[in-house]
Amino acid sequence: MTVDKIKRILSELSRDAGLNKHIRPHDLRRTAGYLMQTGGMSIVDIQHQLRHKNVGTTLRYVPPLNDIAKILENT
């Protein structure tokens, strides 16, 4: 499946759902990262799933809120 085909599908789904916002394929990556984080995955595991070479890239997708909470609990 090409990127253009995915863009067309997302555009059609957005329109059919009555959304005013344009949904891009990259938005799905951000949503996946967010859902992984809220599901309890660590930032490092999310980094591997999203195939980021640098954890800093992953941190731009999802803030390290879960990891900070765990660090604070252990101090």
Side-chain angles (χ1 to χ4, degrees), residues 5-21:
K5 177 69 175 173
I6 293 170
K7 287 179 181 178
R8 278 194 301 275
I9 291 170
L10 288 174
S11 179
E12 290 172 11
L13 290 172
S14 298
R15 185 189 67 241
D16 292 349
L19 301 177
N20 294 327
K21 182 179 177 183

Side-chain angles (χ1 to χ4, degrees), residues 3 10 32 40 61-62:
V3 174
L10 288 174
Y61 279 68
V62 291

